[in-house]
Amino acid sequence: MKKIVLMVMACMMAIVAEAQKREMRGAWIQCVNGQFQGMGKQRMQQTLTYQLDELKKDGVNVIIFQVRPECDALYESRIEPWSRFLTGKQGVAPSPYWDPLQWMVDECHRRGMELHAWINPYRAKTKGTKQLAANHIAVRQPMNCFAYDEMFLLNPGIPENRDYICKVVKDIVSRYDVDGLHMDDYFYPYPVKGESIPDDELFWKYSNGIKDQGDWRRYNVNLFIEQVYKTIHETKPWVKVGISPFGIYRNRSTSYVGSNTSGTQNYDDLYADVLMWVNNGWLDYCVPQIYWEIGNRAADYDTLIKWWNQYASARPLIIGEDVERTAKARDLRNPQVHQQAAKMALHRQMNNVQGTVLWYAKAAVDNIGNYGGNLRNVYWKYPALQPEMPFIDNKAPKKVRKLKPIWTEDGYVLFWKAPKGENWNDKAVKYVVYRFRKGERQDFENPAKIFAITQQPFIKLPYMNGSQKWVYAVTALDRLQNESKAVKKKVSL
């Protein structure tokens, strides 16, 4: 047992040594499970504050917050009704009044995290919803929806629905300072035995010469993905578009490009041609939900992460990780431990994997199997910048100005001025503060040398007795976290 523990510790330390300076480290905070329903403003804010604080300690730098689970809103909207997953009854505003999305934007930014607003584009009613508000789209325009497995869905075959969803998205992006707009895996519904999608008449009406109904359904979703991507970037070019598809694109038994798996397929069963979206640049990051364990007979994690690494590299590839399932699965080589270490090792081996999103936030916060503890002490011990997205913007801001340490009432503080910039793609919005010992090689690619990432143009220095000599360096980051050249200052602490 002692030998196994030492082996695991050695593996963890090796991963720390390979820590990435740029890495999306996300967590999904969902509402559709009812965790906030009827909780009230004070309790919900207390719960979210605790989760954000713990996730920050774990190294998380992106929060993906569910704000539209069924054509409703966890934010102030003139288009769709307030969500029952917030107040307990759809269409009823929170009392006392508050705006969860605005609050989350402010709280995440205060912690140096990005906030990505997560919507379910087509789902109009979940199974548990019994009553819809009078201004809900399924009440106002019932013919635009179809029923399936006790749910309502906006029909992707109706062009008007694409315009409607884009109107909602544009409203969110234009009014809130979100860093990203995120969609999950719900496009056409997951197949249920005995259920069929009632769109034969629409197929004949809008087929555009497409002979196969499956091809036509994929065509409908492709049109929407392209349209929503353009809508977002025309509104705010810096807002990232992310999609988290189901973890299997196609099985090899169906297609030669498929993975050696035997599960539900994005392309054939959900009509989601994810590789087309990636290769056409209709999204800015892709987060396949590889929720299974290493060794799963139908959908082996090892097989799938290698498949996505090979085929989905045209945009930043982020892995959707099931925290609880990982913590409960035994490592195939060392059954005394779970699979977190083995999965993280696979992440580091994949040259196109640029991060992880945790499903779901509360599981990491609850520290199941010490999963969160391992993140903060080992895998995500040091801060990380976001992956570069040169296809949106690749120009770094100018250097910071007038870097100077000053004694204040609060102690020894390093101040600087923002670089000059007029547009979204050259203004500094954050700063990276590095710290090196005197005479040490100044390696700006080593995340262990990052002292802080901050929105403020100053940082308090850890002054002791003035006998330790350090070099502090500050760089500026723009909206896409392109990094400027460093400005340095020698200080004695």
Side-chain angles (χ1 to χ4, degrees):
M1 179 64 182
K2 185 177 180 181
K3 184 177 181 181
I4 291 173
V5 170
L6 290 174
M7 289 173 61
V8 172
M9 289 178 64
C11 180
M12 287 182 170
M13 293 310 297
I15 290 174
V16 169
E18 299 173 5
Q20 306 295 306
K21 179 182 172 179
R22 289 187 178 269
E23 189 173 44
M24 179 183 285
R25 301 170 177 176
W28 281 292
I29 297 183
Q30 86 277 39
C31 68
V32 75
N33 65 345
Q35 65 172 321
F36 305 123
Q37 187 169 315
M39 184 177 279
K41 175 181 178 180
Q42 184 178 3
R43 281 187 58 212
M44 184 170 170
Q45 288 185 356
Q46 288 174 343
T47 300
L48 286 169
T49 295
Y50 175 72
Q51 290 189 7
L52 293 177
D53 286 344
E54 291 302 298
L55 293 168
K56 174 69 175 177
K57 295 173 187 175
D58 288 345
V60 169
N61 58 21
V62 174
I63 297 296
I64 302 174
F65 181 55
Q66 190 174 28
V67 299
R68 184 184 182 263
E70 49 178 3
C71 292
D72 53 357
L74 272 84
Y75 60 95
E76 185 179 281
S77 172
R78 294 183 180 180
I79 303 172
E80 297 185 312
W82 283 101
S83 176
R84 78 172 178 90
F85 294 108
L86 177 65
T87 65
K89 184 177 180 180
Q90 192 177 96
V92 174
S95 180
Y97 186 85
W98 69 301
D99 186 326
L101 176 54
Q102 184 59 59
W103 187 87
M104 283 291 286
V105 167
D106 294 340
E107 291 297 308
C108 287
H109 287 177
R110 190 167 63 82
R111 291 169 174 81
M113 297 171 165
E114 289 193 353
L115 188 285
H116 294 205
W118 163 19
I119 71 164
N120 303 86
Y122 288 109
R123 189 171 61 199
K125 185 187 84 67
T126 59
K127 289 185 180 182
T129 298
K130 305 303 180 184
Q131 184 178 0
L132 298 175
N135 64 331
H136 191 275
I137 186 66
V139 175
R140 292 188 290 107
Q141 297 181 339
M143 299 305 293
N144 282 17
C145 304
F146 64 84
Y148 190 93
D149 192 31
E150 301 179 52
M151 299 184 297
F152 291 162
L153 296 101
L154 294 175
N155 197 323
I158 300 177
E160 182 183 347
N161 285 338
R162 295 195 293 271
D163 296 336
Y164 174 75
I165 300 168
C166 287
K167 179 181 177 182
V168 171
V169 166
K170 185 178 180 68
D171 179 59
I172 294 172
V173 172
S174 62
R175 292 194 298 116
Y176 294 90
D177 189 20
V178 296
D179 302 287
L181 195 290
H182 185 89
M183 293 174 283
D184 57 19
D185 52 325
Y186 292 99
F187 296 99
Y188 277 92
Y190 279 78
V192 174
K193 188 176 181 179
E195 296 262 1
S196 60
I197 299 171
D199 62 357
D200 290 350
E201 186 177 338
L202 278 176
F203 173 49
W204 293 114
K205 184 177 180 180
Y206 294 115
S207 65
N208 289 321
I210 300 172
K211 296 181 180 180
D212 180 82
Q213 197 165 7
D215 288 340
W216 173 73
R217 289 171 179 168
R218 280 182 288 273
Y219 171 75
N220 293 330
V221 180
N222 291 342
L223 286 177
F224 165 68
I225 297 298
E226 182 180 17
Q227 183 177 344
V228 77
Y229 184 82
K230 290 180 178 177
T231 297
I232 291 168
H233 282 288
E234 287 170 359
T235 306
K236 288 182 180 175
W238 62 86
V239 173
K240 303 168 186 176
V241 181
I243 297 178
S244 55
F246 184 69
I248 299 173
Y249 176 67
R250 302 188 84 179
N251 298 312
R252 187 170 295 170
S253 60
T254 305
S255 169
Y256 72 95
V257 298
S259 53
N260 187 20
T261 51
S262 56
T264 301
Q265 304 167 98
N266 273 295
Y267 185 93
D268 304 88
D269 303 316
L270 305 177
Y271 307 103
D273 191 352
V274 184
L275 291 191
M276 175 175 278
W277 310 341
V278 169
N279 291 325
N280 283 354
W282 294 343
L283 46 77
D284 298 317
Y285 66 92
C286 182
V287 193
Q289 300 171 19
I290 311 180
Y291 289 169
W292 302 275
E293 65 275 8
I294 299 171
N296 184 287
R297 293 181 65 183
D300 174 34
Y301 183 97
D302 182 277
T303 296
L304 283 167
I305 194 172
K306 290 175 180 175
W307 187 93
W308 285 99
N309 181 72
Q310 179 179 353
Y311 288 98
S313 62
R315 284 293 185 263
L317 174 62
I318 319 298
I319 303 302
E321 197 80 58
D322 188 316
V323 172
E324 188 169 357
R325 194 162 185 167
T326 299
K328 289 183 177 180
R330 297 294 92 194
D331 186 276
L332 299 187
R333 296 181 178 179
N334 303 316
Q336 284 82 3
V337 299
H338 57 59
Q339 291 191 356
Q340 185 181 16
K343 287 186 174 183
M344 285 296 185
L346 278 172
H347 280 225
R348 295 293 187 258
Q349 292 167 22
M350 303 296 112
N351 59 329
N352 293 316
V353 171
Q354 298 186 50
T356 308
V357 179
L358 307 175
W359 175 260
Y360 54 102
K362 188 176 183 298
V365 170
D366 290 345
N367 200 24
I368 297 173
N370 198 37
Y371 192 103
N374 289 336
L375 290 179
R376 72 179 61 180
N377 296 316
V378 183
Y379 307 112
W380 294 351
K381 182 177 180 179
Y382 303 114
L385 281 62
Q386 296 301 326
E388 292 178 315
M389 295 186 175
F391 44 86
I392 301 177
D393 172 40
N394 64 357
K395 184 179 179 182
K398 295 180 180 179
K399 296 187 291 185
V400 302
R401 300 174 294 151
K402 298 183 179 181
L403 182 66
K404 187 176 182 180
I406 299 175
W407 281 102
T408 72
E409 293 180 354
D410 295 326
Y412 204 24
V413 180
L414 187 64
F415 289 93
W416 59 88
K417 285 191 174 183
K420 293 181 179 180
E422 297 180 358
N423 302 310
W424 70 266
N425 56 352
D426 60 12
K427 283 185 178 179
V429 295
K430 290 182 182 178
Y431 305 94
V432 186
V433 181
Y434 299 85
R435 150 169 142 139
F436 305 95
R437 291 188 178 276
K438 181 183 177 182
E440 179 183 7
R441 186 174 76 89
Q442 295 173 10
D443 181 4
F444 289 95
E445 294 305 310
N446 182 356
K449 300 305 175 182
I450 297 177
F451 180 70
I453 301 175
T454 177
Q455 291 179 297
Q456 303 299 328
F458 58 85
I459 193 81
K460 187 174 180 179
L461 299 175
Y463 184 83
M464 296 294 288
N465 55 17
S467 62
Q468 297 289 326
K469 296 186 182 298
W470 298 86
V471 175
Y472 277 76
V474 179
T475 61
L477 302 176
D478 63 16
R479 282 277 191 175
L480 272 298
Q481 299 208 354
N482 293 302
E483 188 175 19
S484 75
K485 294 181 179 178
V487 177
K488 307 172 187 177
K489 182 66 65 174
K490 296 178 181 179
V491 295
S492 296
L493 301 176

